[in-house]
C-alpha cells in the first residue's frame, strides 16, 4: 500500500460499515444476495422445491395480515412541560464560522428537528420594524443556509456525546454525565479561583 | 374515572400518549422496602398485576406497554381535534372500561374512518360526554337528531380529501 502511496489518498466511503470494513459489509460486497438466497438446496427434488416455495409464499401472506407486536416504552417520569406530539422550543446561542447565531430550536419528543433564528433575541428584535416584532404572525428571524444545515451536526455519530474538559496537555477528557462537582474538579476542568 | 387522568395529552396533541409510571404510582404506589405503607395512595399496593409498575418505579426502567391500536405510518391521525368536536373515545376504542385486557374492538380500517367522515351525525355527542364511555341516548333516532344538530351548530365538516390523513 505504502509503495503506491494509496494510504495517503483521500478515502471515500458510502457507509460507516464500509469505512470500518465490518464483516457484514465484507459479506455484502462479496455476495450478490444474502445468505441462502442464491443457493439451490442439494438433494431436494424439483417438485418438493416448488411445494416448499409455495408453502412459504402462502405463509408469508398470512404473517403479513397482522402487525408485529410493538411495545411502547413510556417515561417513568415525564419531563416537565413535555406534551408528546407538541414541539418544544429552546433558545440557544452558538458560534458558526465566526459569527454568533441566536437560534430557536424546535424539539419534538426530545429530538431537535429545526434550527431557526430567535425572534425574541434583542440582537434581532431591535433591528426589525415594530410591526414585525409586535405582530406574532410576522415574527420570525432569518437564518443562513449554514445555520439551517447545522441541525445535521446534532446527529453526527462522531459528535462528542459529553462535555469535555482540557488540561494544558494531552487529549481533552470527556466528562461523563452524573459526575459530581468534586470529581469534575479533580479531572482538572475547573481551576480554583482565589 | 376520566380517561384523561392518564392519557392527559389527548385533547392537546395528536397523541393521546402513554402515561409515565409516575402517573400510575399516584394511586398505585408500592410498599416501601421495609414493608411500610406507601407514602402516596395505596390502591392495591400488593397486587401481582401491578408488579411491572412497581418494578419500573423501583428501577427507573420503562414499562413496555404492548401497543394495541396502531395506524400505519402513512396515516396521520390527530386525537385532539376528534375530542374537541365530540367524537367519543368509545367510538374508536370500544368499551375499554369493561375490558379485562384491552383489545382492538373496532375495525380502524380506511373505509371505517371515511364512513364517519362522510356521515358524522350518528357518532357526534356533546363534548362534555366524550370521555363518558357508557353514555348513550335512548334511541338511534334521538342520537341522529342530536348529532345532526351538533354538526350544524358547531359547523363540523370532516374532510374526505386523501391528503387529510395521508399527508
Amino acid at each position: 500500500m505504502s509503495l503506491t502511496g494509496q494510504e495517503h489518498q483521500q478515502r471515500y466511503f458510502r457507509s460507516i460499515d464500509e469505512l470500518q470494513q465490518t464483516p457484514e459489509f465484507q459479506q455484502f460486497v462479496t455476495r450478490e444476495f444474502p445468505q441462502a438466497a442464491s443457493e439451490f438446496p442439494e438433494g431436494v427434488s424439483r417438485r418438493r422445491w416448488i411445494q416448499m416455495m409455495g408453502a412459504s409464499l402462502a405463509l408469508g401472506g398470512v404473517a403479513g395480515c397482522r402487525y408485529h407486536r410493538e411495545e411502547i416504552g413510556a417515561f417513568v417520569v415525564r419531563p416537565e412541560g413535555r406534551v408528546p406530539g407538541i414541539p418544544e422550543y429552546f433558545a440557544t446561542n452558538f458560534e458558526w464560522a465566526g459569527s454568533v447565531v441566536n437560534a430557536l430550536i424546535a424539539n419534538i419528543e426530545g429530538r431537535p428537528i429545526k434550527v431557526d433564528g430567535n425572534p425574541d433575541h434583542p440582537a434581532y428584535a431591535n433591528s426589525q420594524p415594530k410591526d414585525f416584532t409586535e405582530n406574532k404572525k410576522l415574527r420570525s428571524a432569518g437564518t443562513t443556509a449554514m445555520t439551517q444545515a447545522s441541525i445535521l451536526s446534532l446527529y453526527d455519530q462522531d459528535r462528542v456525546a459529553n462535555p469535555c474538559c482540557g488540561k494544558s496537555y494531552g487529549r481533552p477528557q470527556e466528562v461523563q454525565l452524573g459526575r459530581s462537582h468534586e470529581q469534575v474538579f479533580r479531572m482538572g476542568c475547573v481551576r480554583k479561583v482565589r | 374515572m376520566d380517561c384523561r387522568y392518564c392519557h392527559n395529552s389527548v385533547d392537546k396533541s395528536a397523541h393521546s400518549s402513554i402515561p409515565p409510571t409516575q402517573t400510575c404510582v399516584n394511586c398505585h404506589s408500592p410498599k416501601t422496602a421495609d414493608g411500610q405503607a406507601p407514602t402516596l395512595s395505596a390502591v392495591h399496593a400488593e397486587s401481582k398485576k401491578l408488579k411491572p409498575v412497581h418494578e419500573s418505579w423501583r428501577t427507573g426502567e420503562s414499562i413496555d406497554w404492548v401497543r394495541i391500536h396502531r395506524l400505519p405510518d402513512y396515516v396521520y391521525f390527530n386525537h385532539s381535534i376528534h375530542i374537541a368536536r365530540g367524537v367519543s373515545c368509545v367510538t374508536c376504542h370500544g368499551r375499554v372500561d369493561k375490558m379485562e385486557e384491552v383489545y382492538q374492538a373496532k375495525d380502524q380500517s380506511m373505509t371505517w374512518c371515511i364512513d364517519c367522515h362522510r356521515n358524522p351525525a350518528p357518532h357526534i355527542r356533546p363534548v362534555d360526554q366524550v370521555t363518558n364511555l357508557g353514555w348513550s341516548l335512548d334511541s338511534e333516532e334521538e342520537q341522529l337528531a342530536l348529532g345532526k344538530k351538533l354538526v350544524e351548530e358547531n359547523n363540523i365538516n370532516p374532510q374526505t380529501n386523501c391528503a387529510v390523513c395521508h399527508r
Side-chain angles (χ1 to χ4, degrees):
Chain A
M1 279 279 253
S2 56
L3 284 175
T4 56
Q6 274 182 2
E7 216 171 77
H8 303 291
Q9 279 177 11
Q10 181 79 45
R11 271 182 67 203
Y12 295 103
F13 53 92
R14 283 161 297 184
S15 67
I16 297 293
D17 276 342
E18 182 175 346
L19 180 68
Q20 296 175 338
Q21 293 288 318
T22 60
E24 289 83 22
F25 176 76
Q26 292 289 359
Q27 201 198 353
F28 183 76
V29 178
T30 48
R31 298 179 66 101
E32 187 179 359
F33 296 108
Q35 195 102 42
S38 53
E39 287 107 348
F40 194 88
E42 281 174 36
V44 179
S45 73
R46 186 185 154 82
R47 180 182 291 264
R48 182 80 186 125
W49 172 252
I50 297 293
Q51 272 176 350
M52 267 162 55
M53 293 316 285
S56 63
L57 268 181
L59 288 171
V62 170
C65 289
R66 283 263 150 241
Y67 285 126
H68 58 91
R69 180 187 162 106
E70 191 177 297
E71 282 169 351
I72 303 175
F75 275 116
V76 176
V77 178
R78 189 182 289 162
E80 200 179 327
R82 168 86 55 88
V83 181
I86 303 279
E88 286 177 283
Y89 292 89
F90 293 96
T92 186
N93 304 295
F94 58 90
E95 191 195 313
W96 195 267
S99 64
V100 177
V101 179
N102 315 117
L104 192 65
I105 300 189
N107 179 308
I108 196 154
E109 321 284 11
R111 289 193 170 77
I113 55 165
K114 182 85 166 77
V115 179
D116 268 322
N118 181 2
D120 284 333
H121 193 280
Y124 183 83
N126 295 341
S127 68
Q128 291 294 309
K130 258 204 157 179
D131 294 354
F132 268 61
T133 45
E134 280 174 6
N135 187 335
K136 282 212 163 175
K137 277 189 185 163
L138 292 175
R139 269 160 40 108
S140 71
T143 47
T144 62
M146 292 223 284
T147 308
Q148 289 292 323
S150 68
I151 189 79
L152 297 173
S153 72
L154 293 171
Y155 294 93
D156 187 350
Q157 289 195 343
D158 295 331
R159 187 187 167 86
V160 180
N162 293 310
C164 274
C165 71
K167 290 183 179 175
S168 50
Y169 55 90
R171 279 186 66 181
Q173 262 185 299
E174 275 190 44
V175 182
Q176 299 296 326
L177 294 179
R179 287 287 178 93
S180 69
H181 287 107
E182 187 58 33
Q183 284 168 318
V184 173
F185 181 77
R186 256 188 273 126
M187 285 172 74
C189 307
V190 193
R191 291 223 181 84
K192 248 183 194 161
V193 181
R194 292 187 186 185
Chain B
M1 192 171 154
D2 197 291
C3 311
R4 285 171 293 188
Y5 183 80
C6 308
H7 301 287
N8 65 339
S9 68
V10 74
D11 51 3
K12 302 180 194 75
S13 162
H15 303 303
S16 68
S17 78
I18 303 291
T21 311
Q22 195 180 28
T23 307
C24 313
V25 169
N26 279 340
C27 297
H28 299 294
S29 53
K31 283 195 162 187
T32 53
D34 51 349
Q36 295 297 307
T39 41
L40 293 166
S41 168
V43 183
H44 301 302
E46 284 173 88
S47 166
K48 272 185 196 157
K49 285 185 181 171
L50 285 170
K51 242 185 157 182
V53 173
H54 296 160
E55 189 68 14
S56 157
W57 190 239
R58 200 174 54 76
T59 59
E61 298 276 321
S62 300
I63 304 173
D64 288 330
W65 295 100
V66 177
R67 187 167 196 171
I68 305 294
H69 298 90
R70 184 191 163 193
L71 294 178
D73 290 343
Y74 47 80
V75 178
Y76 175 81
F77 177 82
N78 191 320
H79 275 92
S80 64
I81 187 62
H82 290 86
I83 299 293
R85 295 308 220 149
V87 180
S88 170
C89 314
V90 77
T91 310
C92 307
H93 296 292
R95 288 301 297 271
V96 174
D97 56 331
K98 299 255 188 233
M99 291 178 193
E100 187 73 20
E101 190 175 319
V102 176
Y103 56 88
Q104 187 177 327
K106 303 293 170 85
D107 260 21
Q108 304 208 337
S109 63
M110 190 170 117
T111 37
W112 179 84
C113 292
I114 288 185
D115 278 347
C116 187
H117 269 230
R118 283 185 181 138
N119 179 26
H123 307 286
I124 300 288
R125 56 170 76 184
V127 174
D128 56 351
Q129 298 298 334
V130 159
T131 54
N132 183 359
L133 304 189
W135 185 89
S136 72
L137 288 172
D138 294 332
S139 67
E140 276 186 34
E141 288 77 45
E142 272 181 69
Q143 167 60 47
L144 214 56
L146 177 73
K148 272 188 182 147
K149 191 170 134 268
L150 287 171
V151 166
E152 187 83 12
E153 269 176 15
N154 298 332
N155 194 20
I156 295 173
N157 183 24
Q159 304 292 303
T160 47
N161 191 319
C162 311
V164 172
C165 312
H166 305 294
R167 10 177 107 179

